[in-house]
């Protein structure tokens, strides 16, 4: 529904840590202080997407980035 920012997070347990930060898919059920609780309107417009596994992350990132564009520092 508007502009997006796409990022690749890396690090130990990055997927799990990001999912904790995002909160539950349903903003009404998301923990206080999470991105979806703060900015989500409903399940269909929940403000943020994050991969649910390392395999999903690799597949989803390949839609937006070339391998050479992803660099672990």
């Amino acid at each position: 529904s508007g502009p997006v920012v796409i990022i690749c997070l890396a690090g130990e347990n990055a997927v799990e840590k990001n999912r904790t930060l995002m909160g539950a898919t349903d903003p009404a059920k998301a923990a206080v202080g999470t991105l979806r609780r703060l900015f989500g309107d409903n399940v269909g417009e929940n403000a943020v997407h994050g991969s649910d596994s390392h395999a999903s992350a690799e597949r989803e990132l390949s839609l937006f980035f070339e391998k050479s564009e992803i660099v672990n520092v």
Side-chain angles (χ1 to χ4, degrees), residues 33-55:
T34 61
L35 295 172
R36 288 179 172 152
R37 179 65 173 255
L38 290 168
F39 304 109
D41 291 327
N42 56 61
V43 175
E45 298 175 309
N46 62 24
V48 65
H49 170 77
S51 303
D52 61 0
S53 68
H54 184 75

Side-chain angles (χ1 to χ4, degrees), residues 15-16 19 22 49-57 59-60:
V15 170
E16 294 82 7
R19 294 196 64 79
M22 290 187 311
H49 170 77
S51 303
D52 61 0
S53 68
H54 184 75
S56 291
R59 182 182 55 77
E60 292 171 352

